Amino acid sequence: MSNQSGIQELMAAETRASQIVAEARMARGDRMKQAKTDAQELIDAYRAEKQEEFNNRVLAAGGSGGSASAKLQAETNNEIQIMQGQFQRNAQKAVDVLLSKCCEVSLEVPSARVRSTQKQYGGQ
């Protein structure tokens, strides 16, 4: 009977060990979730702090962001006009280059093709 009780003790110990391992896994998962939540809170706080600093600097440097926005819009419009002018000047040149390349046909047969054809059809 001693053998039987020893086996039962081992089985009970194994069951307790598996329960402890399962609880540890669950606790680890909970700790990971909590750590992720804490990290996200820190990230959000840091982002808000940096956004506030940025907003303060923008206000200090340019007043209300409207003038900076208007200046940027004017620069963008100027660049667009420059690019449209370049397009107008170069459009015909680009069409001419494309047409010349499309219409340029070489009537010369490459020597490798000649040898290949001769070998295929038994020519000289």
XYZ file of all heavy atoms in Angstrom, residues 24-105:
625
model
N 0.949 30.762 -13.150
C 2.087 31.622 -13.485
C 1.955 32.151 -14.907
O 2.253 33.319 -15.179
C 3.396 30.855 -13.316
N 1.516 31.295 -15.819
C 1.312 31.744 -17.209
C 0.234 32.818 -17.287
O 0.377 33.809 -17.995
C 0.935 30.561 -18.094
C 2.095 29.668 -18.415
C 1.722 28.608 -19.405
N 2.885 27.765 -19.694
C 2.829 26.488 -19.965
N 1.655 25.869 -20.000
N 3.923 25.807 -20.215
N -0.860 32.599 -16.554
C -1.933 33.592 -16.563
C -1.458 34.905 -15.947
O -1.748 35.990 -16.463
C -3.155 33.060 -15.804
C -3.890 31.960 -16.568
S -5.264 31.231 -15.659
C -6.201 32.636 -15.183
N -0.698 34.805 -14.853
C -0.180 36.006 -14.207
C 0.777 36.739 -15.136
O 0.775 37.973 -15.209
C 0.522 35.644 -12.897
N 1.594 35.992 -15.860
C 2.534 36.608 -16.813
C 1.767 37.340 -17.909
O 2.110 38.462 -18.276
C 3.436 35.548 -17.440
C 4.421 36.118 -18.427
C 5.338 35.018 -18.989
N 6.275 35.562 -19.920
C 6.140 35.549 -21.235
N 5.073 34.993 -21.776
N 7.052 36.068 -22.022
N 0.705 36.711 -18.421
C -0.116 37.360 -19.438
C -0.739 38.640 -18.918
O -0.764 39.666 -19.608
N -1.220 38.582 -17.668
C -1.812 39.773 -17.055
C -0.766 40.874 -16.884
O -1.047 42.055 -17.139
C -2.441 39.433 -15.703
C -3.668 38.547 -15.842
O -4.230 38.486 -16.964
O -4.069 37.919 -14.837
N 0.439 40.488 -16.448
C 1.504 41.485 -16.282
C 1.886 42.104 -17.620
O 2.139 43.306 -17.711
C 2.738 40.851 -15.628
C 2.585 40.599 -14.139
C 3.910 40.273 -13.469
N 4.696 39.259 -14.156
C 4.650 37.950 -13.937
N 3.814 37.464 -13.038
N 5.419 37.126 -14.622
N 1.914 41.293 -18.685
C 2.248 41.811 -20.011
C 1.180 42.802 -20.484
O 1.496 43.855 -21.038
C 2.394 40.661 -21.022
C 3.583 39.764 -20.779
S 5.136 40.623 -20.969
C 5.213 40.741 -22.730
N -0.092 42.458 -20.260
C -1.172 43.369 -20.646
C -1.076 44.677 -19.873
O -1.247 45.760 -20.436
C -2.532 42.715 -20.403
C -2.867 41.619 -21.382
C -4.192 40.972 -21.044
C -4.460 39.778 -21.943
N -5.689 39.068 -21.556
N -0.795 44.581 -18.581
C -0.675 45.783 -17.754
C 0.520 46.623 -18.202
O 0.429 47.840 -18.279
C -0.532 45.401 -16.270
C -0.510 46.596 -15.348
C -1.791 47.413 -15.422
O -2.880 46.861 -15.478
N -1.655 48.730 -15.417
N 1.632 45.952 -18.519
C 2.817 46.679 -18.980
C 2.526 47.389 -20.303
O 2.952 48.532 -20.514
C 3.997 45.723 -19.142
N 1.799 46.734 -21.180
C 1.449 47.350 -22.461
C 0.564 48.566 -22.235
O 0.759 49.616 -22.866
C 0.742 46.325 -23.349
C 0.418 46.826 -24.727
C -0.206 45.744 -25.575
C -0.537 46.274 -26.959
N -1.155 45.276 -27.811
N -0.400 48.449 -21.350
C -1.287 49.561 -21.042
C -0.502 50.730 -20.446
O -0.678 51.886 -20.848
C -2.388 49.121 -20.059
O -3.102 48.025 -20.625
C -3.355 50.240 -19.750
N 0.402 50.425 -19.505
C 1.215 51.471 -18.883
C 2.105 52.153 -19.924
O 2.246 53.374 -19.925
C 2.074 50.886 -17.766
C 1.244 50.419 -16.578
O 0.047 50.784 -16.501
O 1.789 49.669 -15.740
N 2.694 51.358 -20.797
C 3.562 51.917 -21.834
C 2.772 52.812 -22.771
O 3.240 53.895 -23.156
C 4.242 50.795 -22.611
N 1.565 52.407 -23.137
C 0.739 53.226 -24.022
C 0.367 54.547 -23.349
O 0.355 55.593 -23.986
C -0.520 52.461 -24.438
C -1.316 53.151 -25.515
C -0.525 53.327 -26.799
O 0.149 52.428 -27.259
N -0.595 54.512 -27.373
N 0.091 54.501 -22.047
C -0.207 55.727 -21.316
C 0.991 56.669 -21.315
O 0.845 57.881 -21.509
C -0.632 55.403 -19.883
C -1.996 54.770 -19.781
C -2.335 54.319 -18.366
O -1.529 54.564 -17.435
O -3.408 53.722 -18.179
N 2.193 56.113 -21.122
C 3.403 56.931 -21.150
C 3.618 57.544 -22.532
O 3.966 58.723 -22.659
C 4.625 56.091 -20.764
C 4.776 55.746 -19.296
C 5.916 54.757 -19.092
C 5.013 57.005 -18.478
N 3.402 56.744 -23.555
C 3.562 57.236 -24.933
C 2.576 58.355 -25.208
O 2.944 59.392 -25.778
C 3.389 56.077 -25.937
C 4.564 55.120 -25.856
C 3.211 56.603 -27.350
C 4.365 53.817 -26.616
N 1.338 58.169 -24.817
C 0.317 59.192 -25.043
C 0.659 60.482 -24.304
O 0.510 61.588 -24.848
C -1.062 58.684 -24.623
C -1.572 57.571 -25.533
O -1.057 57.433 -26.654
O -2.484 56.837 -25.092
N 1.134 60.360 -23.055
C 1.505 61.543 -22.276
C 2.676 62.267 -22.938
O 2.680 63.501 -23.055
C 1.861 61.150 -20.847
N 3.671 61.513 -23.385
C 4.842 62.106 -24.042
C 4.425 62.794 -25.339
O 4.857 63.905 -25.632
C 5.884 61.017 -24.312
C 7.148 61.540 -24.943
C 8.089 62.219 -24.203
C 7.392 61.343 -26.309
C 9.249 62.693 -24.778
C 8.548 61.818 -26.901
C 9.479 62.492 -26.125
O 10.615 62.973 -26.704
N 3.580 62.133 -26.106
C 3.111 62.706 -27.368
C 2.347 64.015 -27.115
O 2.545 65.005 -27.819
C 2.226 61.708 -28.106
C 1.718 62.215 -29.441
C 0.953 61.167 -30.199
N 1.880 60.161 -30.708
C 1.681 58.851 -30.644
N 0.574 58.377 -30.111
N 2.563 58.017 -31.124
N 1.495 64.016 -26.105
C 0.734 65.223 -25.785
C 1.665 66.350 -25.347
O 1.489 67.506 -25.752
C -0.293 64.920 -24.691
N 2.674 66.001 -24.553
C 3.641 67.004 -24.101
C 4.401 67.611 -25.281
O 4.531 68.831 -25.388
C 4.624 66.353 -23.126
C 5.735 67.267 -22.651
C 6.762 66.513 -21.807
O 6.411 65.476 -21.211
O 7.907 66.975 -21.766
N 4.877 66.768 -26.185
C 5.622 67.253 -27.346
C 4.723 68.038 -28.297
O 5.162 69.025 -28.891
C 6.296 66.091 -28.088
C 7.425 65.461 -27.312
C 8.486 66.498 -27.014
C 9.598 65.954 -26.160
N 10.607 66.962 -25.839
N 3.484 67.641 -28.437
C 2.554 68.375 -29.284
C 2.309 69.766 -28.706
O 2.262 70.752 -29.440
C 1.233 67.607 -29.431
C 0.250 68.260 -30.366
C 0.738 68.278 -31.806
O 1.330 67.323 -32.279
N 0.492 69.368 -32.500
N 2.173 69.833 -27.400
C 1.977 71.124 -26.736
C 3.204 72.020 -26.932
O 3.069 73.207 -27.239
C 1.704 70.906 -25.243
C 1.404 72.174 -24.487
C 0.111 72.839 -24.915
O -0.801 72.128 -25.383
O 0.008 74.064 -24.795
N 4.411 71.440 -26.789
C 5.631 72.214 -27.029
C 5.675 72.725 -28.465
O 6.013 73.884 -28.710
C 6.873 71.354 -26.766
C 7.172 71.112 -25.316
C 8.404 70.234 -25.139
O 9.267 70.190 -26.053
O 8.510 69.587 -24.083
N 5.330 71.871 -29.393
C 5.328 72.259 -30.797
C 4.342 73.393 -31.049
O 4.670 74.383 -31.710
C 4.989 71.052 -31.683
C 4.828 71.395 -33.131
C 5.926 71.653 -33.928
C 3.559 71.474 -33.705
C 5.783 71.976 -35.261
C 3.408 71.802 -35.030
C 4.523 72.057 -35.814
N 3.147 73.255 -30.522
C 2.131 74.296 -30.700
C 2.593 75.624 -30.110
O 2.383 76.687 -30.710
C 0.805 73.868 -30.077
C 0.155 72.733 -30.834
O 0.468 72.490 -31.989
N -0.737 72.020 -30.173
N 3.235 75.573 -28.939
C 3.735 76.798 -28.321
C 4.818 77.441 -29.175
O 4.861 78.655 -29.324
C 4.265 76.514 -26.915
C 3.153 76.191 -25.939
O 2.003 76.553 -26.160
N 3.486 75.498 -24.871
N 5.711 76.637 -29.732
C 6.774 77.175 -30.585
C 6.199 77.785 -31.859
O 6.658 78.815 -32.321
C 7.780 76.087 -30.939
C 8.673 75.724 -29.795
C 9.740 74.762 -30.214
N 10.550 74.382 -29.067
C 11.540 73.525 -29.122
N 11.845 72.950 -30.275
N 12.226 73.237 -28.044
N 5.211 77.123 -32.439
C 4.591 77.658 -33.657
C 3.936 78.998 -33.358
O 4.079 79.956 -34.121
C 3.567 76.650 -34.238
C 2.698 77.310 -35.290
C 4.282 75.451 -34.826
N 3.232 79.067 -32.251
C 2.579 80.320 -31.886
C 3.602 81.415 -31.594
O 3.411 82.566 -31.978
C 1.662 80.111 -30.685
C 0.381 79.315 -30.955
C -0.386 79.087 -29.662
C -0.488 80.024 -31.973
N 4.705 81.035 -30.936
C 5.731 82.026 -30.609
C 6.461 82.497 -31.867
O 6.791 83.671 -32.005
C 6.726 81.443 -29.618
N 6.697 81.605 -32.805
C 7.460 81.946 -34.006
C 6.619 82.678 -35.032
O 7.094 83.614 -35.672
C 8.053 80.689 -34.624
N 5.403 82.261 -35.220
C 4.642 82.838 -36.320
C 3.315 83.427 -35.929
O 2.524 83.754 -36.792
N 3.061 83.556 -34.695
C 1.767 84.091 -34.294
C 0.702 83.027 -34.448
O 0.847 81.907 -34.025
N -0.367 83.360 -35.120
C -1.446 82.382 -35.334
C -1.050 81.525 -36.520
O -0.823 81.880 -37.369
C -2.735 83.119 -35.649
O -2.624 83.738 -36.908
N -1.158 80.419 -36.697
C -0.635 79.644 -37.830
C -1.149 80.091 -39.174
O -0.693 79.629 -40.180
N -2.073 81.022 -39.246
C -2.658 81.453 -40.507
C -1.665 82.110 -41.439
O -1.665 81.863 -42.629
N -0.790 82.983 -40.923
C 0.159 83.676 -41.797
C 1.170 82.694 -42.365
O 1.558 82.807 -43.523
C 0.857 84.796 -41.037
O 1.618 84.268 -39.973
N 1.616 81.752 -41.548
C 2.559 80.735 -42.035
C 1.885 79.884 -43.098
O 2.506 79.539 -44.120
C 3.049 79.871 -40.884
N 0.626 79.575 -42.889
C -0.109 78.773 -43.858
C -0.283 79.536 -45.163
O -0.129 78.970 -46.251
C -1.475 78.394 -43.280
O -2.227 77.692 -44.233
N -0.582 80.812 -45.080
C -0.747 81.622 -46.293
C 0.570 81.731 -47.047
O 0.610 81.660 -48.285
C -1.266 83.003 -45.922
N 1.658 81.894 -46.318
C 2.988 81.979 -46.941
C 3.323 80.677 -47.646
O 3.796 80.673 -48.788
C 4.039 82.299 -45.884
C 5.437 82.448 -46.428
C 6.418 82.771 -45.320
C 7.834 82.826 -45.875
N 8.818 83.054 -44.812
N 3.062 79.569 -46.988
C 3.323 78.263 -47.582
C 2.468 78.057 -48.824
O 2.951 77.551 -49.843
C 3.053 77.152 -46.560
C 3.299 75.725 -47.022
C 4.771 75.529 -47.393
C 2.916 74.743 -45.941
N 1.222 78.471 -48.770
C 0.336 78.337 -49.924
C 0.835 79.180 -51.088
O 0.815 78.735 -52.243
C -1.099 78.754 -49.543
C -2.113 78.531 -50.638
C -2.287 77.064 -50.975
O -2.304 76.219 -50.100
N -2.395 76.759 -52.238
N 1.326 80.393 -50.811
C 1.849 81.256 -51.870
C 3.094 80.635 -52.507
O 3.239 80.639 -53.742
C 2.176 82.636 -51.301
N 3.975 80.069 -51.685
C 5.175 79.411 -52.215
C 4.787 78.214 -53.078
O 5.363 77.990 -54.150
C 6.088 78.963 -51.073
C 6.776 80.093 -50.352
C 7.593 79.607 -49.167
O 7.758 78.377 -48.987
O 8.065 80.467 -48.399
N 3.824 77.451 -52.619
C 3.375 76.277 -53.368
C 2.784 76.696 -54.711
O 3.097 76.086 -55.745
C 2.323 75.502 -52.549
O 2.890 75.131 -51.296
C 1.867 74.260 -53.284
N 1.963 77.724 -54.716
C 1.377 78.200 -55.973
C 2.455 78.695 -56.930
O 2.380 78.453 -58.137
C 0.356 79.308 -55.698
C -0.897 78.784 -55.046
O -1.202 77.591 -55.120
N -1.634 79.662 -54.385
N 3.462 79.378 -56.399
C 4.567 79.860 -57.224
C 5.308 78.685 -57.857
O 5.621 78.699 -59.054
C 5.515 80.720 -56.379
C 6.590 81.367 -57.209
O 6.396 81.653 -58.387
N 7.731 81.615 -56.596
N 5.594 77.661 -57.081
C 6.292 76.479 -57.608
C 5.449 75.770 -58.660
O 5.975 75.282 -59.657
C 6.651 75.528 -56.475
C 7.760 76.045 -55.575
C 8.107 75.091 -54.455
O 7.730 73.899 -54.524
O 8.750 75.545 -53.490
N 4.148 75.717 -58.453
C 3.255 75.083 -59.438
C 3.303 75.848 -60.746
O 3.384 75.243 -61.831
C 1.811 75.003 -58.880
C 1.729 73.962 -57.774
C 0.819 74.684 -59.992
C 0.407 73.932 -57.036
N 3.290 77.183 -60.679
C 3.357 77.985 -61.900
C 4.681 77.767 -62.629
O 4.714 77.664 -63.858
C 3.169 79.467 -61.574
C 1.749 79.808 -61.175
C 1.599 81.262 -60.763
O 2.577 81.984 -60.623
N 0.358 81.691 -60.575
N 5.775 77.680 -61.891
C 7.085 77.431 -62.503
C 7.076 76.082 -63.210
O 7.534 75.954 -64.360
C 8.202 77.500 -61.440
C 8.382 78.941 -60.958
C 9.502 76.948 -61.979
C 9.288 79.077 -59.755
N 6.546 75.061 -62.551
C 6.507 73.721 -63.152
C 5.614 73.686 -64.385
O 5.945 73.025 -65.382
C 6.023 72.696 -62.124
C 7.022 72.373 -61.058
S 6.339 71.129 -59.952
C 7.393 71.334 -58.544
N 4.497 74.399 -64.346
C 3.624 74.435 -65.526
C 4.315 75.133 -66.685
O 4.186 74.712 -67.845
C 2.308 75.134 -65.180
C 1.400 74.283 -64.332
C 0.134 74.998 -63.897
O 0.066 76.223 -63.914
N -0.867 74.219 -63.497
N 5.083 76.176 -66.399
C 5.842 76.847 -67.449
C 6.890 75.930 -68.055
O 7.071 75.879 -69.285
N 7.582 75.169 -67.209
C 8.573 74.209 -67.710
C 7.895 73.154 -68.574
O 8.424 72.743 -69.597
C 9.309 73.553 -66.538
C 10.235 74.487 -65.809
C 10.808 73.855 -64.553
O 10.296 72.855 -64.046
N 11.874 74.447 -64.043
N 6.720 72.723 -68.150
C 5.993 71.730 -68.935
C 5.651 72.287 -70.313
O 5.839 71.610 -71.323
C 4.708 71.304 -68.203
C 3.814 70.445 -69.036
C 4.104 69.108 -69.218
C 2.684 70.975 -69.648
C 3.286 68.305 -70.002
C 1.865 70.187 -70.423
C 2.164 68.847 -70.609
N 5.145 73.515 -70.352
C 4.766 74.119 -71.629
C 5.978 74.238 -72.556
O 5.869 74.004 -73.764
C 4.144 75.510 -71.401
C 2.820 75.478 -70.675
C 1.739 74.730 -71.436
O 1.727 74.713 -72.651
N 0.844 74.076 -70.702
N 7.130 74.621 -71.986
C 8.343 74.774 -72.806
C 8.871 73.438 -73.314
O 9.409 73.365 -74.417
C 9.436 75.475 -71.996
C 9.217 76.960 -71.823
C 10.463 77.646 -71.284
N 10.952 77.053 -70.042
C 10.544 77.372 -68.818
N 9.606 78.275 -68.665
N 11.065 76.797 -67.758
N 8.752 72.379 -72.520
C 9.398 71.116 -72.863
C 8.461 70.062 -73.434
O 8.912 68.985 -73.835
C 10.101 70.539 -71.624
C 11.215 71.441 -71.152
O 11.925 72.034 -71.958
N 11.381 71.556 -69.842
N 7.177 70.301 -73.479
C 6.219 69.299 -73.938
C 6.491 68.902 -75.390
O 6.537 67.706 -75.716
C 4.792 69.811 -73.787
N 6.680 69.866 -76.263
C 6.896 69.551 -77.674
C 8.220 68.817 -77.877
O 8.298 67.906 -78.687
C 6.850 70.825 -78.533
C 6.826 70.552 -80.023
C 5.655 69.664 -80.441
O 4.527 69.865 -80.012
N 5.927 68.669 -81.264
N 9.242 69.202 -77.127
C 10.536 68.508 -77.220
C 10.369 67.031 -76.845
O 10.932 66.155 -77.507
C 11.568 69.156 -76.303
C 12.009 70.529 -76.731
C 13.001 71.096 -75.721
C 13.307 72.550 -75.981
N 14.157 73.128 -74.942
N 9.616 66.767 -75.797
C 9.409 65.391 -75.356
C 8.649 64.592 -76.412
O 9.002 63.439 -76.700
C 8.640 65.363 -74.028
N 7.638 65.192 -77.016
C 6.878 64.518 -78.073
C 7.791 64.229 -79.260
O 7.743 63.140 -79.844
C 5.654 65.370 -78.487
C 5.007 64.824 -79.750
C 4.652 65.435 -77.356
N 8.639 65.186 -79.645
C 9.558 64.986 -80.766
C 10.527 63.849 -80.500
O 10.786 63.020 -81.383
C 10.338 66.274 -81.047
C 9.443 67.379 -81.596
O 8.324 67.054 -82.069
O 9.863 68.559 -81.539
N 11.061 63.775 -79.293
C 11.989 62.689 -78.948
C 11.275 61.347 -79.027
O 11.798 60.377 -79.593
C 12.591 62.908 -77.536
C 13.312 61.667 -77.056
C 13.533 64.098 -77.538
N 10.066 61.262 -78.470
C 9.320 60.002 -78.511
C 9.007 59.586 -79.943
O 9.154 58.414 -80.307
C 8.026 60.127 -77.706
C 8.192 60.181 -76.193
C 6.861 60.497 -75.530
C 8.744 58.888 -75.657
N 8.577 60.522 -80.769
C 8.267 60.188 -82.156
C 9.513 59.762 -82.921
O 9.469 58.820 -83.723
C 7.600 61.378 -82.850
C 6.153 61.635 -82.454
C 5.645 62.914 -83.120
C 5.270 60.462 -82.809
N 10.629 60.419 -82.676
C 11.853 60.045 -83.398
C 12.293 58.637 -83.012
O 12.757 57.875 -83.867
C 12.971 61.050 -83.123
O 13.451 60.917 -81.798
N 12.143 58.281 -81.746
C 12.536 56.933 -81.310
C 11.562 55.883 -81.825
O 11.957 54.762 -82.143
C 12.622 56.861 -79.783
C 13.737 57.687 -79.209
C 15.075 57.242 -79.746
C 16.183 58.115 -79.225
N 17.479 57.799 -79.782
N 10.285 56.214 -81.913
C 9.286 55.258 -82.403
C 9.449 55.013 -83.901
O 9.209 53.904 -84.386
C 7.875 55.770 -82.137
S 7.432 55.736 -80.403
N 9.816 56.044 -84.617
C 9.892 55.937 -86.078
C 11.271 55.503 -86.556
O 11.470 55.263 -87.748
C 9.524 57.269 -86.721
S 7.819 57.745 -86.370
N 12.208 55.403 -85.685
C 13.567 55.026 -86.047
C 13.657 53.497 -86.076
O 13.640 52.845 -85.042
C 14.526 55.584 -84.982
C 15.973 55.458 -85.322
C 16.810 56.111 -84.228
O 16.805 57.345 -84.135
O 17.433 55.354 -83.465
N 13.721 52.928 -87.292
C 13.738 51.477 -87.434
C 15.022 51.085 -88.138
O 15.354 51.597 -89.205
C 12.523 50.986 -88.255
C 12.566 49.483 -88.435
C 11.237 51.411 -87.579
